[in-house]
Amino acid sequence: MDLETASAIESLRKDLDRTRTDLGDRIAGVETSLGRQLATVENTLRAQSDRRVTMLTRHTAVLTESVRDDVRIVADGLAAVTAELVAVSAKIDALKR
């Protein structure tokens, strides 16, 4: 191999090493940037999820209280009907005697 060819090969080797180093640095930068972006997205999603859980918890509490009120109304109505039924049953028993 002559001196000119050897010099060209050495020059290509150095260029390749610089390119490899530059690509490695760029890849590391992209990894860092993507890591930050993923962390930001994760934090945003977590905050949104927390807000939704809070909202759903409040909504569920309101619905539960509404159902409690409905159950109380039905129970009061049932107690009144039961009392009337007992009174009517007592009258029927009295008439039978």
Side-chain angles (χ1 to χ4, degrees):
M1 169 172 9
D2 66 359
L3 186 58
E4 188 178 327
T5 304
S7 177
I9 290 173
E10 184 60 30
S11 177
L12 286 172
R13 224 180 247 140
K14 287 179 183 177
D15 286 346
L16 184 60
D17 285 344
R18 273 193 303 269
T19 301
R20 188 178 298 141
T21 300
D22 184 47
L23 283 174
D25 291 346
R26 287 181 183 190
I27 288 170
V30 168
E31 286 176 338
T32 301
S33 176
L34 283 175
R36 279 191 224 118
Q37 289 175 5
L38 285 173
T40 300
V41 168
E42 179 183 5
N43 290 336
T44 300
L45 289 174
R46 183 169 286 130
Q48 288 175 349
S49 177
D50 290 347
R51 281 192 300 272
R52 285 186 178 143
V53 166
T54 300
M55 182 184 71
L56 288 172
T57 301
R58 287 181 190 146
H59 184 67
T60 301
V62 168
L63 291 176
T64 301
E65 189 59 35
S66 175
V67 168
R68 268 192 206 127
D69 290 342
D70 291 346
V71 168
R72 273 190 214 113
I73 290 167
V74 169
D76 290 344
L78 182 61
V81 168
T82 301
E84 288 179 29
L85 185 60
V86 168
V88 168
S89 182
K91 287 179 183 178
I92 289 172
D93 287 343
L95 289 174
K96 285 183 183 176
R97 293 184 198 165

